[in-house]
Amino acid sequence: TGPKPLLGRKVIVTSGPTHEPIDPVRYIANRSSGKQGHAIAAALAKLGADVMLISGPVTIADPAGVTVLRVESARDMLAAVEAQLPADIAVMVAAVADWRVAASADQKIKKQPGEAPAPLALTENPDILKTVGHHAQRPRLVVGFAAETENVETNGRAKLERKGADMIVANDVSPENGVMGGDRNRVNIISADGIDVWPDLAKDDVAERLAALIAARFAG
Ligand code: C5P
């Protein structure tokens, strides 16, 4: 039912947080629920796309009509994304951890009586969007997100350039907006054409509008 402008098109979507191990039982993570990324994957599938959803650890259900690949860490996510290339479109919604523990322990780190806690040295994770945006097998349309708490437009524009994306969906994730984990989102669409400010919408409605915009941009 409905038009299928993306029929036969392969689309990679990343969603959710990543978990970066400290030791076998502990990890560093963030508050991403995966709701927006999963909704976008479902909306693209409704337009006929062949969607590979590469998801970090989430508690929400797999969306209908998409293939779900589950990963834990940023490095796992990058490997899963690269394994799916070539693709027509990539939409990177995951809240990828910027840093991981430099040397995660093979065994549970034990508390030593009387000793100060060991410091956690961090190292930078690969940037998946940036890698895909500059890839030899770059998808024709690359879309990123930008979770910002200030200067949403300026930061979004800089990100478009730096990451080699065609479109950045910038949202203000200040805690008072309740975006992280919530059901609503207010986004700004930033591209070479300029900025388009969307009203406050349910994440499912953001997903449908974005899927339609992606289909139009891909066709055009
Ligand atoms: O730089 P920043 O994390 O704000 O960029 C956000 C965008 O980049 C999102 O689309 C996110 O999925 C993507 N990203 C990524 N890999 C990273 C960091 C961010 O794909 N390591």
Side-chain angles (χ1 to χ4, degrees):
T1 59
K4 304 272 185 250
L6 293 176
L7 196 65
R9 298 303 184 180
K10 181 171 178 181
V11 183
I12 299 170
V13 180
T14 67
S15 184
T18 61
H19 283 187
E20 306 301 328
I22 297 170
D23 68 19
V25 299
R26 303 185 178 99
Y27 57 83
I28 296 173
N30 60 64
R31 296 186 191 282
S32 167
S33 64
K35 282 178 187 170
Q36 187 65 83
H38 279 49
I40 289 166
L44 289 162
K46 275 213 257 174
L47 299 185
D50 182 3
V51 179
M52 302 300 303
L53 173 60
I54 299 171
S55 176
V58 296
T59 56
I60 60 174
D62 289 351
V66 316
T67 303
V68 183
L69 300 175
R70 288 182 164 272
V71 298
E72 293 267 332
S73 69
R75 286 191 292 178
D76 297 343
M77 188 174 276
L78 174 62
V81 166
E82 287 195 280
Q84 290 304 320
L85 294 175
D88 295 295
I89 299 170
V91 189
M92 309 313 233
V93 196
V96 181
D98 289 319
W99 305 284
R100 67 175 181 274
V101 176
S104 62
D106 293 333
Q107 304 294 329
K108 185 184 172 195
I109 300 168
K110 304 294 281 183
K111 179 169 59 178
Q112 302 295 349
E115 275 186 24
L120 274 184
L122 302 180
T123 189
E124 206 168 321
N125 263 331
D127 188 318
I128 301 166
L129 172 58
K130 193 173 169 189
T131 303
V132 169
H134 296 96
H135 205 280
Q137 299 186 88
R138 184 190 190 278
R140 209 168 90 205
L141 190 67
V142 175
V143 180
F145 268 66
E148 306 287 353
T149 55
E150 56 183 0
N151 302 328
V152 172
E153 182 176 355
T154 313
N155 291 338
R157 278 183 190 284
K159 206 152 287 185
L160 190 70
E161 186 75 13
R162 191 170 72 246
K163 304 224 182 193
D166 300 295
M167 198 191 295
I168 289 283
V169 183
N171 52 0
D172 186 340
V173 294
S174 304
E176 62 270 24
N177 290 344
V179 167
M180 279 256 178
D183 291 316
R184 300 189 69 80
N185 205 354
R186 197 164 32 167
V187 304
N188 304 311
I189 309 291
I190 297 163
S191 71
D193 303 340
I195 181 164
D196 193 11
V197 178
W198 288 6
D200 177 75
L201 294 165
K203 284 184 177 174
D204 286 341
D205 295 331
V206 169
E208 291 211 347
R209 278 176 73 149
L210 189 61
L213 178 62
I214 286 169
R217 300 261 329 203
F218 188 78

